[in-house]
């Protein structure tokens, strides 16, 4: 049979995490699905995720781990598909996995295991997989027409799972937002999230520390406190704590970094027994030497420990607890793990992910204005939002 232009129940735009998971669920329900992707293979972002090991979920997932203009929207889908349900699936396929830290579940062997599993979940008799096929627009009369560089395909329903704008060289495009706008939806302004920050060069004497990591507590005006690693880069700061904070920032926000997270270290600095030791060497008993030296040099703390009064030492400790680097920007979509913002959730059903404006048009995954913290939450949202459609189609 020539399946080229066969009419299907669903066309899914984007063979990423959300699209593949939805295809699995829908074909198992007997629905015919055409899944279209501009790339040459499905699940490309999954393959590079988690450093190649895919942090596929987080067992602590709750709505508080997501950023959205409409914070309660994600609750319904998340409550109907838990991290443990995905873990159960992973176990069914005998994929070895482990918890790394903070509830983050990773593959032991390779992210390829997850893509293989998602492909295996799809009933191939019901699927047409259309790769290297770029969607250009979607129109609707009584059915949908998906216009691509390979021709026009028709379906009863369309699922937009085309992701965000991060990593354009892996297929990211604005098509999901364009489709939403063309059907009268609004878009919550997008920006790079989970992205390294650039610090104003004149106030950043730490570029030589690139690659060095220290523990920290980081907060922005609107974010919770993130207590994780901070990584120095040539241009500024990265590492889990900074990436987390970056998703909450816009250009006017500042970030406050506490590098002295162990309270006993405050006492050690203020009232320590370091006598004639150079201040920078005293700091080296707490921090990596390279950081201690660079910090002391930049702050002109060049004397011995005992040269400074306890009051001054407390002030120095407070500097370490209240570092506010001047942020010049971020490294943009080419380095961002996610896109914050997206299709306005006030115009979607939280139960089914269907458009409130256009029946049988759905939006799932990262294209929607729901952005997870770092740590497996974004994939959990992809699975849970895809699952919501299948429940409604049953
Ligand atoms: P996704 O981006 O996966 O898929 C969208 C698909 O649509 C792509 O395949 C794209 O090619 C296709 N597409 C776009 N435009 C198109 C067009 N015009 N025509 C046809 N197809 C088109 N999250 C997590 O929870 N744990 C982790 O370990 C990581 N690690 C990680 C590492 C890196 C480097 C990045 C960049 C991101 C992560 N993430 C992550 C985030 C996670 O990858 C992301 O949130 C999900 O992949 C989103 O899934 P979606 O299916 O919504 O989009």
């Amino acid at each position: 049979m020539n399946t080229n232009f066969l009419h299907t129940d669903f066309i899914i735009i984007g063979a990423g995490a959300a699209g593949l998971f939805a295809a699995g669920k829908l074909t198992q329900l007997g629905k015919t699905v055409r899944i279209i992707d501009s790339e040459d293979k499905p699940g490309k972002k999954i393959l590079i995720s988690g450093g190649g090991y895919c942090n596929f979920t987080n067992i602590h997932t709750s709505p508080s781990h997501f950023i959205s203009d409409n914070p309660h929207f994600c609750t319904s889908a998340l409550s109907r598909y838990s991290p443990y349900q995905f873990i159960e699936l992973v176990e069914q396929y005998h994929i070895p996995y482990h918890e790394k830290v903070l509830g983050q579940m990773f593959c032991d062997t390779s992210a390829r295991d997850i893509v293989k599993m998602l492909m295996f979940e799809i009933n191939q008799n019901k699927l047409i997989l259309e790769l290297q096929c770029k969607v250009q627009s979607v129109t609707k009369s009584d059915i949908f027409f998906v216009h691509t560089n390979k021709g026009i395909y028709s379906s009863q329903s369309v699922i937009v799972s085309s992701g965000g704008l991060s990593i354009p060289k892996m297929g990211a495009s604005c098509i999901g937002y364009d489709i939403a706008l063309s059907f009268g939806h609004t878009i919550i302004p997008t920006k790079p999230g989970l992205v390294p920050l650039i610090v104003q060069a004149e106030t950043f004497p730490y570029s030589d520390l690139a690659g060095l990591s220290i523990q920290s507590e980081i907060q922005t005006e609107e974010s919770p406190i993130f207590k994780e690693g901070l990584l120095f880069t040539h241009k500024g700061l990265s590492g889990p704590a900074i990436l987390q904070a970056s998703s909450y920032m816009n250009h006017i926000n500042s970030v406050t970094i506490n590098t002295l997270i162990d309270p006993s270290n405050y006492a050690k600095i203020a009232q320590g027994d370091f006598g004639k030791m150079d201040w920078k060497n005293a700091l080296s008993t707490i921090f990596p030497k390279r950081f201690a030296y660079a910090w002391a040099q930049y702050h002109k703390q060049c004397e011995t420990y005992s040269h400074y009064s306890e009051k001054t030492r407390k002030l120095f400790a407070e500097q370490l607890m209240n570092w506010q680097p001047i942020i010049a920007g971020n490294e943009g979509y080419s380095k961002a793990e996610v896109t914050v913002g997206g299709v306005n959730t006030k115009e979607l059903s939280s139960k089914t992910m269907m458009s409130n404006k256009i029946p049988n048009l759905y939006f799932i995954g990262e294209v929607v204005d729901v952005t997870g913290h770092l740590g497996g939450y974004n994939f959990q949202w992809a699975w849970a939002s895809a699952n919501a459609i299948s429940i409604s189609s049953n």
Side-chain angles (χ1 to χ4, degrees), residues 2-20:
N2 180 0
T3 58
N4 274 357
F5 292 96
L6 204 70
H7 180 82
T8 49
D9 294 326
F10 284 85
I11 288 179
I12 299 181
I13 301 173
L20 291 176

Side-chain angles (χ1 to χ4, degrees), residues 28 33 152 183 239 292:
Q28 285 169 24
V33 171
I152 302 171
F183 283 107

Side-chain angles (χ1 to χ4, degrees), residues 55-58 61 104 373-381 383:
N55 177 195
F56 54 80
T57 192
N58 192 303
T61 301
Q104 301 169 6
H373 288 176
L374 186 82
Y377 301 105
N378 284 296
F379 281 140
Q380 187 56 33
W381 170 246
W383 320 137

Side-chain angles (χ1 to χ4, degrees), residues 246-293:
S246 73
S247 296
Y248 285 88
M249 293 178 71
N250 57 44
H251 28 274
I252 52 162
N253 283 149
S254 62
V255 60
T256 304
I257 303 174
N258 175 7
T259 59
L260 206 58
I261 50 177
D262 180 347
S264 70
N265 285 334
Y266 179 86
K268 203 168 169 185
I269 285 190
Q271 295 141 352
D273 188 16
F274 297 110
K276 296 258 174 264
M277 189 187 274
D278 274 351
W279 176 258
K280 62 180 187 285
N281 288 327
L283 283 185
S284 301
T285 63
I286 294 171
F287 297 107
K289 190 171 169 182
R290 286 164 65 208
F291 173 73
Y293 276 41

Side-chain angles (χ1 to χ4, degrees), residues 52-111:
Y53 291 92
C54 187
N55 177 195
F56 54 80
T57 192
N58 192 303
I59 54 172
H60 302 309
T61 301
S62 77
S64 67
H65 296 107
F66 295 85
I67 302 167
S68 172
D69 222 41
N70 182 13
H72 298 299
F73 177 81
C74 60
T75 309
S76 171
L78 290 175
S79 68
R80 283 175 299 138
Y81 193 79
S82 79
Y84 291 101
Q85 283 169 279
F86 195 79
I87 291 171
E88 203 180 303
L89 190 62
V90 166
E91 287 177 352
Q92 272 172 28
Y93 281 83
H94 306 290
I95 296 174
Y97 69 93
H98 62 281
E99 178 182 349
K100 198 171 176 190
V101 284
L102 305 170
Q104 301 169 6
M105 311 310 275
F106 281 79
C107 295
D108 286 356
T109 316
S110 166

